[in-house]
């Protein structure tokens, strides 16, 4: 799934598709982390409120740490998405296109 | 809370970034002054932190008073204090050089620009001081996002496209890094760097997972570092990104990524007993190719900033060679080169951006137009260029010398040859620029009226020029300090 996202980033002509590819790639990493936290027949890692306050056996619950980490990673991904879209808007405003080959052609014309 | 701690160096720019928009209520154009003050404060504290670590020793800060390995730890030792001081210095100088004081600059755009600058600084400090692998990812992304915004802050689409390319490749690098952290977590069950070492040292540790983790972490950091062949974003981002932003970004970001690599390889992986000889060999080979190919490409460039970008690629290759050689001497040489190259690149980009904004000159061959017209800028450019080429007694000579020395110590004659050749190669493209700028007869003048120079430019010329000379003389002591104190724990 990761490589699928990377391929999309590289091969897609439209900028928005590249951004989607980036999102796929990040989701792949998040899924990887979450699968790390699963155990056979694990329970959801929430202790029932006001219930019996006896000690819980951590081995029975799915590991919640990767979930928390991935929440952070999701937030990071969202900000990246925001910045990427702003940059795309900036490009579109001047060049009126979001296709990569047209952008390259338009940028080449005034040779720096 | 003790003021001289790694957290304060982080908190000052971070909090400042959050309060910056409120300043606009009081004074419309206070952003630049505020940022400079804040960064100066950060610089002073990081300097004091460096002084506190002059004899080595570590300083820990446990977030929320959660003891490790449950909580996030930040530790500062001589090495991280050194890198943090470099970061603070360069960002402070970069903030001074930002165009807020230029006549006609839009005041409204200042606030986001300086916010991103402060956030980037805070993120980089976070990377330097953290002792937790996931925390490093978070700050890597914080600083990177601020970076992409800064680089794309110019008015033109070319800069925006270059920043977008940087964004794609940078997020690929960060995702690879995160995957690597995942493998380390799968192998050890912890995110704390010291704890990872301990758990991997246990006899039943899953070292193969650790090795996979190292590989992914290395790939991710290599992209962020601009190591050949992962440097694809660098030429465009440095050439077309917003000028003052690039002056700020180019010197430090790749160095901090290289520091993260050093931290991983030599503080986590090697003590854990994972065999990375082959990886170090690959790093060294990539470094060698970076030096050669980067220099060749730099020579072919017409655009000044693009030439400087490829020059960064080749010098990053030198640093990578130091990392790849793996000995204490080589690492000290690499760290020294990180410091000097940061200063030199800053000066070079400052001069190049100055020439570009004042005269609109972007190409090397047009440099002859300003012959005699901008003496201070050209002095800055010349001194930094000579230092990059490794002319003694300027600073650049000494960092290359120590790398050469390290290569000779382990009898790696190919690396030694390449390091020596890199001076020659750097000289090639810099002398081409210098010859055009200083000696060619002035061509016809453009009809654009040149803008007045940045107010702070004479100060920078003086400061960086004398720094090059003084650092040159101070190098042996700095090198000894680095190899003895900062790298004490490495065999």
């Amino acid at each position: 799934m990761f490589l699928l996202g990377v391929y999309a980033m590289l091969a897609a002509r439209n900028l928005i598709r590249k951004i989607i590819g980036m999102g796929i790639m990040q989701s792949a990493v998040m899924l990887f982390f979450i699968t790390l936290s699963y155990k056979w027949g694990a329970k959801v890692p929430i202790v029932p409120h006001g219930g019996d306050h006896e000690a819980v056996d951590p081995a029975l619950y799915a590991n919640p740490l990767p979930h928390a980490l991935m929440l952070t990673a999701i937030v990071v991904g969202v900000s990246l998405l925001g910045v990427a879209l702003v940059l795309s808007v900036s490009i579109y405003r001047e060049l009126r296109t979001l296709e990569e080959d047209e952008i390259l052609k338009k940028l080449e014309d005034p040779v720096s | 809370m003790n003021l001289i701690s790694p957290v304060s160096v982080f908190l000052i720019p971070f909090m400042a970034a959050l309060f910056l928009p409120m300043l606009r209520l009081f004074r419309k154009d206070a952003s630049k002054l505020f940022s400079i003050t804040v960064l100066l404060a950060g610089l002073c504290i990081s300097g004091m932190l460096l002084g506190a670590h002059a004899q080595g020793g570590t300083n820990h800060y446990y977030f929320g008073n959660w003891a490790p390995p449950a909580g996030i730890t930040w530790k500062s030792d001589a090495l991280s204090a050194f890198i943090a001081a470099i970061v603070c210095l360069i960002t402070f100088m970069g903030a001074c050089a930002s165009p807020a004081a230029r006549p006609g600059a839009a005041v409204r755009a200042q606030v986001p620009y300086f916010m991103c600058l402060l956030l980037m600084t805070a993120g980089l400090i976070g990377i330097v001081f953290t002792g937790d692998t996931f925390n490093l990812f978070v700050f890597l992304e914080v600083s990177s996002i601020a970076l992409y915004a800064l680089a794309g802050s110019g008015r033109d689409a070319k800069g925006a496209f270059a920043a977008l390319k940087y964004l794609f490749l940078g997020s690929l690098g960060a995702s690879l890094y995160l995957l690597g952290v995942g493998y380390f977590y799968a192998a050890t069950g912890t995110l704390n760097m010291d704890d990872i070492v301990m758990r991997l040292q246990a006899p039943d540790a899953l070292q193969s997972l650790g090795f996979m983790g190292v590989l992914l972490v290395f790939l991710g950091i290599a992209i962020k570092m601009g190591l050949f062949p992962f440097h694809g974003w660098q030429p465009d981002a440095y050439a077309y990104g917003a000028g003052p932003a690039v002056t700020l970004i180019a010197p430090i970001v790749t160095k901090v990524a290289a520091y993260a690599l050093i931290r991983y390889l030599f503080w986590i992986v090697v003590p854990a007993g994972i065999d990375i000889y082959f990886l170090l060999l690959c790093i060294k080979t990539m470094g060698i190719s970076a030096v050669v190919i980067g220099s060749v490409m730099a020579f072919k460039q017409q655009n000044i900033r693009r030439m400087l970008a490829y020059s960064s690629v080749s010098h990053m290759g030198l640093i990578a060679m130091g990392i790849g050689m793996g000995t204490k001497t080589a690492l000290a040489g690499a760290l020294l080169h990180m410091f000097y190259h940061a200063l030199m690149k800053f000066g070079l980009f400052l001069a190049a951006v100055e020439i570009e904004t004042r005269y609109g000159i972007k190409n090397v061959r047009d440099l002859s137009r300003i012959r005699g017209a901008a003496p201070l800028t050209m002095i800055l450019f010349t001194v930094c260029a000579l230092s990059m080429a490794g002319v003694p007694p300027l600073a650049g000579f000494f960092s290359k010398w120590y790398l050469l020395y390290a290569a000779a110590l382990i009898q790696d004659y190919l690396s030694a040859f390449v390091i020596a050749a890199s001076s020659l190669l750097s000289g090639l493209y810099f002398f081409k620029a210098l010859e055009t700028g200083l000696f060619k007869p002035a061509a016809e003048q453009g009809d654009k009226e040149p803008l007045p120079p940045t107010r702070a430019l004479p100060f920078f010329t003086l400061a960086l020029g004398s720094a090059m000379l003084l650092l040159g003389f101070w190098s042996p002591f700095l090198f000894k300090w680095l190899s003895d104190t900062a790298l004490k724990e490495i065999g």
Side-chain angles (χ1 to χ4, degrees):
Chain A
M1 190 173 165
F2 184 80
L3 292 175
L4 205 62
V6 175
Y7 174 73
M9 279 207 313
L10 290 176
R13 288 187 322 143
N14 191 321
L15 284 183
I16 303 296
R17 297 215 175 113
K18 284 188 194 278
I19 296 178
I20 295 177
M22 184 173 83
I24 296 178
M25 181 183 76
Q26 288 167 338
S27 307
V29 177
M30 293 172 203
L31 281 178
F32 171 73
F33 262 81
I34 294 179
T35 56
L36 284 181
S37 72
Y38 188 71
K39 301 173 198 166
W40 277 103
K43 295 202 263 184
V44 174
I46 299 176
V47 178
H49 175 69
D52 32 336
H53 280 275
E54 59 192 41
V56 290
D57 182 9
L60 293 177
Y61 291 88
N63 188 357
L65 178 61
H67 296 262
L69 299 178
M70 287 308 106
L71 280 174
T72 314
I74 290 173
V75 172
V76 167
V78 167
S79 340
L80 271 176
L81 188 65
V83 177
L85 287 174
V86 164
L87 288 173
S88 308
V89 165
S90 177
I91 293 176
Y92 185 74
R93 220 179 261 162
E94 185 169 323
L95 297 179
R96 289 276 149 225
T97 175
L98 283 177
E99 303 290 323
E100 187 189 10
D101 39 4
E102 288 177 35
I103 292 178
L104 285 175
K105 220 178 334 178
K106 288 195 182 175
L107 289 178
E108 289 297 330
D109 279 329
V111 177
S112 68
Chain B
M1 186 185 81
N2 190 9
L3 185 63
I4 317 287
S5 100
V7 186
S8 36
V9 185
F10 164 74
L11 273 182
I12 291 178
F14 188 68
M15 286 293 152
L18 294 178
F19 286 127
L20 192 59
M22 289 192 228
L23 264 200
R24 272 195 66 209
L25 296 174
F26 302 110
R27 238 184 92 115
K28 280 261 171 89
D29 52 348
S31 314
K32 176 170 173 175
L33 196 58
F34 182 64
S35 315
I36 293 182
T37 320
V38 161
L39 287 172
L40 186 60
L43 180 61
C44 293
I45 297 194
S46 66
M48 289 196 269
L49 196 60
L50 187 59
H53 285 298
Q55 306 300 324
T58 60
N59 191 348
H60 291 257
Y61 183 82
Y62 305 119
F63 274 90
N65 276 329
W66 289 95
I72 295 181
T73 322
W74 273 26
K75 48 178 219 274
S76 69
D77 55 5
L79 177 61
S80 41
F82 176 66
I83 303 282
I86 299 176
V87 168
C88 287
L89 182 64
I90 302 273
T91 48
F92 169 65
M93 294 201 296
C96 290
S98 295
R102 195 171 287 284
V107 171
R108 211 175 43 129
Q110 281 179 35
V111 170
Y113 178 83
F114 283 105
M115 266 183 78
C116 284
L117 200 155
L118 290 171
L119 279 175
M120 184 193 84
T121 313
L124 290 175
I125 301 286
I127 298 178
V128 170
F129 282 131
T130 187
D132 180 284
T133 52
F134 189 73
N135 207 229
L136 204 152
F137 166 73
V138 169
F139 284 118
L140 190 63
E141 287 292 70
V142 164
S143 59
S144 298
I145 291 176
L147 267 182
Y148 308 143
L150 272 180
S153 65
R155 298 267 145 229
D156 57 333
K158 211 162 192 171
F161 189 62
L164 197 57
K165 210 198 292 194
Y166 185 12
L167 191 152
F168 287 139
L169 285 174
S171 66
L172 175 62
S175 303
L176 283 171
Y177 173 81
L178 187 57
L179 261 184
V181 168
Y183 271 91
F184 272 114
Y185 181 70
T188 58
T190 177
L191 297 168
N192 189 316
M193 288 185 186
D194 297 325
D195 208 32
I196 291 181
V197 175
M198 279 200 312
R199 295 204 191 181
L200 281 178
Q201 278 171 342
D204 59 341
L206 300 160
Q207 293 220 336
S208 54
L209 278 181
F211 183 72
M212 190 65 197
V214 174
L215 213 55
L216 287 170
V217 162
F218 163 66
L219 280 177
I221 295 187
I223 293 180
K224 288 280 181 190
M225 200 165 115
L227 183 60
F228 185 86
F230 305 117
H231 66 289
W233 54 269
Q234 263 193 329
D236 285 340
Y238 289 2
Y240 306 128
V246 172
T247 314
L248 185 65
I249 297 171
I252 31 167
V253 172
T254 49
K255 314 296 181 304
V256 172
Y259 155 80
L261 187 63
I262 293 180
R263 193 56 97 177
Y264 253 90
L265 286 180
F266 298 103
W267 261 263
I268 299 183
V269 174
V270 166
I274 301 179
D275 178 29
I276 50 168
Y277 174 72
F278 188 63
L279 183 63
L280 289 179
L281 195 61
C282 283
I283 296 179
K284 194 163 55 169
T285 315
M286 285 195 222
I288 293 179
S289 30
V291 170
V292 173
I293 297 182
S295 304
V296 169
M297 294 293 289
F299 186 70
K300 283 175 44 175
Q301 295 306 315
Q302 282 302 318
N303 187 324
I304 302 179
R305 284 208 274 165
R306 228 178 140 89
M307 177 183 90
L308 292 179
Y310 276 109
S311 161
S312 277
V313 171
S314 82
H315 281 261
M316 213 59 212
L318 276 179
I319 295 176
M321 280 170 71
I323 299 180
M325 285 194 263
T327 63
K328 204 195 288 207
T329 326
L331 277 179
L335 286 172
L336 200 63
H337 196 63
M338 271 198 233
F339 178 30
Y340 292 164
H341 183 239
L343 287 178
M344 298 186 284
K345 258 299 134 63
F346 180 77
L348 284 171
F349 267 108
L350 190 62
V353 169
E354 185 69 16
I355 295 176
E356 188 176 325
T357 43
R358 282 183 66 192
Y359 296 98
I361 292 179
K362 292 196 182 139
N363 290 335
V364 177
R365 61 170 171 243
D366 295 335
L367 274 179
S368 53
R369 265 200 262 154
I370 58 168
R371 182 165 176 242
L376 282 175
T377 316
M378 282 317 282
I379 290 179
L380 180 61
F381 191 84
T382 312
V383 171
C384 290
L386 288 178
S387 186
M388 290 277 277
V391 174
L394 295 173
F397 169 73
F398 287 96
S399 55
K400 291 194 188 175
W401 171 256
Y402 284 119
L403 280 173
L404 199 62
Y405 174 56
L409 269 185
I410 56 174
Q411 295 177 338
D412 187 351
Y413 294 118
L414 176 62
S415 302
F417 175 71
V418 171
I419 294 173
S422 79
S423 293
L424 182 65
L425 293 170
S426 303
L428 272 181
Y429 51 83
F430 277 119
F431 289 162
K432 184 176 92 162
L434 287 177
E435 185 206 358
T436 318
L438 298 175
F439 299 120
K440 273 227 170 70
E444 85 287 353
Q445 296 291 328
D447 27 81
K448 256 189 8 180
E449 190 62 35
L451 297 175
T454 317
R455 262 201 305 236
L457 188 67
F459 172 71
F460 278 122
T461 310
L462 191 63
L464 285 173
S466 42
M468 290 294 118
L469 279 173
L470 291 174
L471 282 174
F473 290 114
W474 196 47
S475 294
F477 307 110
L478 193 53
F479 177 75
K480 193 146 176 33
W481 180 80
L482 276 174
S483 59
D484 290 340
T485 316
L487 299 171
K488 208 166 19 181
E489 295 153 33
I490 304 186

